[in-house]
Amino acid sequence: MRISSLRLSCLALLLAIGGCQCGDPSVDDPDAGPIDVPPEVVQGLRLLTLDPADVELVVRDTTPATQRYRVTGHYEDDSTRDVTAFAEFFLDDARLGTFHGDTFTSNLATGGTSAVRASVATWSAEGTLMLRIEKTALDPDPSLPANPETFFQGDADPARAPLLAYPNDGVLLPPNLGRLEVHFRRSQPSNTLFELAFTAPQTDVRVYTRCRLPNGVNAPYDAPDACIHELRPEVWTWLSSSHRGAGPLTLVVRATDDSGSGTVGTSEPITLHIARSDLQGGLYYWTTAANGGIMRYDFSSTSGTPVRAVAPEHSQNTCVGCHALSRDGRKLVASGGGQDRGETLLYSVASNTPLVPYDSTPKGQFFAWSPDGSQFAGVYGDAGSTDWNVRLFNGTTGALEASLTGTGTESNPATHPDWSADGEALVYVRQGIRDVGTPQNRFDTNQRFGKGSIHMVRRTGSDFGAPVTVVPAASGKNRYYPAVAPSSDYLVFNESTCPTDEVHRDCNADTDPSARLFVAPLSANATPIPLVRANTGGVMDPPNGDLTNSYPRWNPFEVRGEDGPESKLHWLTFSSSRRYGLRLPPAGGMENPKGTLLWMAAVDPARVAAGEDGSFPAFVLPIQDVKTSNHVAQWAQYTAVDNCAIDGEGCHTGGASCCGGLTCTSIS
């Protein structure tokens, strides 16, 4: 009897890590083939047992761990027989290592827990393997001692304890983040040697370093003892590959001196979580660097460097800022020239050329695309406006196709549209205050207004129904920038608080210091829920301080969460003037002296549905230039460049470089 089996749990692994290596054992062992199982081996066979059933192995630095297994057959006459020679072995999580015959050999970089399975014909046995990796990484600094780990054996001294300032405690990070900085304060000048310890049941990674700052970074005025260490790529791989959806990872920083007999200070611990699924999609954001422009980053790329997608020369050298991407990433629409101009750039990202001449379509300031890219919604309520409603435009020609009557008026124009992923709802803001004020404090444009409220229209056949209030206006508040979650059943929005009255620059929807993130069900008169964890800054930010948590936008993919196969996770991007650990925020402008960086936080939609704060603490997106102000982040499923074709099923043609090399939209 010749047995060749397609192995189990491939789908589970595919959903977890986006790939699958399970299958015939000949994939693991090139010399192996289907095993001949004599009839007498299976005749009367009642069950199989695996020995050892449960194993814990340790990989230390460059030495793989090995384990030999034995399979015993138990027969109906109560006899037993060693049937290892006829068994095929495999792991549910093939990342942990490979089998060669009955011997498992671990990989060197990934820890974790997996079921071990052995089969003989149609019978199988199962055990559990827990693989722990123990790694040491030393900075390439000739001043480091050769054996720094031996310097941390002194007595505990709380006075020497460093202060961990970044990442934020409890943060959830995507496994393909790639870069992570650890910020800490040395606390005492005598602290000269530091250990960053990442520990969990399957991981013990120690990094030894000095206190230093990256090139071009100065110690902030309030933290002259600042230390910033960026993890090397292999260290991040050890951590991220071992902890995809696998529970918390503890980080502490220990400090001592170079005497070899000094006391040791230990920081308060923080926990990090690594998401199960990679972050995918194309991010387009506006930057103040190098004359401005819209930058693009492909999260399926390994380059690690954003590129300019739209430059001022594409819009007759005018400023192009507020923009929206079609879901497939092939088209972009942006507003040029700033307030009171509303010049429109309708642009083919795929071919890197305008679809129509610049400013040849009706004016617009803020936009949102239909899911299929056939239309975009736009608003224009600035100088010269004659239609204050949400309007619908052709996604290829830019021609006006419809005005959604009742969505805006001259005294209360519509602004900030967003279109749900299912195409059934358009949400927008209705401006509540249109006080002209002074040139420095205007309240008469789509960009600056007061007392906003959140509304929506739902599709009825080929049209949209009457407007419905989702979040009403509130005295002393401004509510704006709604964005519908990938599941199309709730939205996120900003709320800022006016410091003195309802007409104030600090609550005009334009980089307001008090801006905070809220979510609400996509229903009439919904109850807002503050995203407390995402709104909260780090240890160097003032508690309950104003951090300009503004312009939220969703990554387009809903992925598997951390609490079983039915759980979901959404990624939320926003701009914030909060401290990036021990780095000061970049310079701002007239509206806010502090500039903003792009931050991201995970959100659990099940907790949102239960009326709870579903957010995790935020982390900075390390792909951006953190020395300049960046904001207005928008997402597409792909960075569709080089005229890649995307078919109706969301799959691409045109080669492996198309659309980031992705083949399907179903990223899990």
Side-chain angles (χ1 to χ4, degrees):
M1 181 185 300
R2 299 181 63 83
I3 304 296
S4 180
S5 304
L6 179 63
R7 294 311 176 202
L8 305 176
S9 300
C10 179
L11 179 59
L13 183 60
L14 178 64
L15 292 174
I17 65 171
C20 185
Q21 299 176 359
C22 48
D24 193 286
S26 62
V27 174
D28 287 345
D29 185 353
D31 297 325
I35 296 176
D36 286 320
V37 182
E40 61 268 20
V41 171
V42 297
Q43 187 172 358
L45 184 61
R46 182 166 51 88
L47 62 90
L48 300 178
T49 55
L50 185 64
D51 183 36
D54 299 309
V55 177
E56 293 187 10
L57 300 176
V58 177
V59 177
R60 289 186 174 89
D61 291 321
T62 59
T63 304
T66 61
Q67 176 66 53
R68 190 173 184 180
Y69 284 88
R70 181 181 183 217
V71 181
T72 301
H74 299 259
Y75 294 84
E76 293 175 354
D77 61 0
D78 293 330
S79 64
T80 60
R81 177 177 176 177
D82 184 346
V83 294
T84 307
F86 309 106
E88 299 176 63
F89 297 86
F90 57 96
L91 296 172
D92 277 11
D93 189 346
R95 301 175 306 149
L96 300 187
T98 58
F99 271 98
H100 296 270
D102 59 7
T103 300
F104 168 77
T105 302
S106 76
N107 76 91
L108 294 175
T110 303
T113 300
S114 175
V116 180
R117 304 180 192 274
S119 66
V120 175
T122 58
W123 284 262
S124 65
E126 181 179 330
T128 302
L129 168 67
M130 207 284 274
L131 184 64
R132 177 181 175 85
I133 60 169
E134 296 182 357
K135 298 283 189 178
T136 301
L138 276 64
D139 260 3
D141 186 335
S143 72
L144 277 179
N147 54 343
E149 66 278 4
T150 63
F151 285 61
F152 290 86
Q153 297 172 2
D155 294 335
D157 183 358
R160 300 190 81 149
L163 174 68
L164 253 172
Y166 185 84
N168 296 320
D169 188 18
V171 68
L172 178 62
L173 303 169
N176 62 328
L177 185 66
R179 296 173 57 187
L180 181 68
E181 290 184 351
V182 177
H183 298 201
F184 57 95
R185 299 180 65 173
R186 68 193 304 166
S187 79
Q188 287 192 9
S190 60
N191 285 341
T192 57
L193 184 61
F194 300 88
E195 177 193 76
L196 315 183
F198 299 86
T199 57
Q202 67 270 41
T203 307
D204 188 338
V205 173
R206 311 278 171 142
V207 179
Y208 295 95
T209 185
R210 299 293 192 189
C211 178
R212 62 167 58 90
L213 294 172
N215 291 336
V217 177
N218 298 319
Y221 64 88
D222 55 352
D225 58 345
C227 315
I228 297 177
H229 175 86
E230 182 173 338
L231 299 183
R232 299 209 308 262
E234 64 268 26
V235 175
W236 174 252
T237 298
W238 298 337
L239 301 175
S240 61
S241 62
S242 300
H243 286 274
R244 286 178 176 262
L249 179 66
T250 299
L251 167 62
V252 299
V253 177
R254 298 202 297 164
T256 189
D257 57 34
D258 278 57
S259 69
S261 59
T263 57
V264 178
T266 303
S267 72
E268 290 295 322
I270 66 169
T271 58
L272 313 176
H273 301 259
I274 309 296
R276 186 181 303 275
S277 304
D278 281 353
L279 181 64
Q280 298 284 3
L283 178 68
Y284 294 73
Y285 63 94
W286 192 77
T287 181
T288 60
N291 299 318
I294 298 172
M295 305 297 290
R296 173 178 66 225
Y297 184 79
D298 181 0
F299 276 92
S300 67
S301 167
T302 57
S303 70
T305 304
V307 298
R308 192 179 302 277
V310 180
E313 55 264 29
H314 296 130
S315 55
Q316 299 177 2
N317 292 315
T318 61
C319 170
V320 174
C322 298
H323 58 281
L325 271 294
S326 62
R327 188 172 177 84
D328 63 9
R330 295 177 63 80
K331 292 183 284 188
L332 175 148
V333 60
S335 177
Q339 297 174 85
D340 295 325
R341 291 178 65 173
E343 299 164 4
T344 303
L345 172 66
L346 184 56
Y347 195 74
S348 170
V349 180
S351 61
N352 201 35
T353 56
L355 286 168
V356 296
Y358 174 72
D359 198 26
S360 63
T361 63
K363 294 182 180 296
Q365 282 286 28
F366 294 95
F367 307 97
W369 285 88
S370 65
D372 63 3
S374 63
Q375 288 183 310
F376 62 88
V379 295
Y380 183 73
D382 294 12
S385 175
T386 57
D387 187 345
W388 297 272
N389 292 297
V390 176
R391 297 176 294 166
L392 303 183
F393 299 88
N394 185 282
T396 301
T397 66
L400 177 65
E401 294 186 338
S403 178
L404 302 183
T405 304
T407 54
T409 64
E410 184 174 3
S411 57
N412 303 106
T415 189
H416 296 174
D418 193 54
W419 211 316
S420 64
D422 63 6
E424 295 301 308
L426 258 172
V427 299
Y428 62 96
V429 169
R430 178 172 288 183
Q431 299 175 204
I433 295 178
R434 294 274 288 176
D435 188 331
V436 173
T438 66
Q440 292 78 31
N441 189 20
R442 297 182 57 187
F443 276 74
D444 65 338
T445 72
N446 282 139
Q447 184 172 324
R448 293 173 177 158
F449 57 88
K451 206 173 183 179
S453 51
I454 313 296
H455 301 262
M456 104 180 134
V457 289
R458 284 199 172 274
R459 187 174 292 282
T460 56
S462 60
D463 204 352
F464 284 92
V468 173
T469 300
V470 180
V471 183
S475 181
K477 305 288 185 182
N478 199 2
R479 290 164 168 173
Y480 52 97
Y481 283 151
V484 183
S487 52
S488 297
D489 57 352
Y490 72 101
L491 56 77
V492 64
F493 67 94
N494 272 140
E495 178 182 283
S496 56
T497 301
C498 298
T500 56
D501 51 45
E502 294 183 355
V503 180
H504 194 283
R505 190 172 70 184
D506 285 352
C507 62
N508 68 355
D510 189 14
T511 61
D512 297 349
S514 65
R516 284 169 170 78
L517 305 167
F518 287 75
V519 292
L522 205 59
S523 59
N525 298 311
T527 300
I529 305 165
L531 295 181
V532 177
R533 296 180 189 87
N535 282 320
T536 302
V539 299
M540 296 300 293
D541 291 303
N544 303 315
D546 290 343
L547 304 177
T548 319
N549 299 321
S550 185
Y551 213 102
R553 282 297 180 265
W554 297 100
N555 176 275
F557 296 109
E558 179 176 76
V559 297
R560 183 177 168 189
E562 306 307 298
D563 299 321
E566 302 301 319
S567 64
K568 303 294 183 184
L569 188 69
H570 298 156
W571 291 109
L572 179 66
T573 309
F574 59 96
S575 307
S576 182
S577 62
R578 66 182 67 192
R579 293 277 289 267
Y580 173 16
L582 296 173
R583 296 175 183 260
L584 294 171
M590 181 186 71
E591 285 282 327
N592 191 329
K594 295 180 180 180
T596 60
L597 296 178
L598 300 177
W599 290 74
M600 176 172 273
V603 176
D604 182 343
R607 284 159 55 190
V608 170
E612 304 170 0
D613 173 17
S615 67
F616 288 78
F619 60 94
V620 77
L621 281 174
I623 53 93
Q624 66 192 303
D625 181 352
V626 298
K627 297 185 293 296
T628 65
S629 193
N630 306 309
H631 47 97
V632 195
Q634 298 278 16
W635 286 90
Q637 286 183 317
Y638 308 104
T639 53
V641 295
D642 301 325
N643 281 313
C644 296
I646 300 177
D647 64 24
E649 300 300 319
C651 296
H652 75 75
T653 61
S657 64
C658 268
C659 314
L662 298 177
T663 55
C664 298
T665 60
S666 56
I667 309 299
S668 299

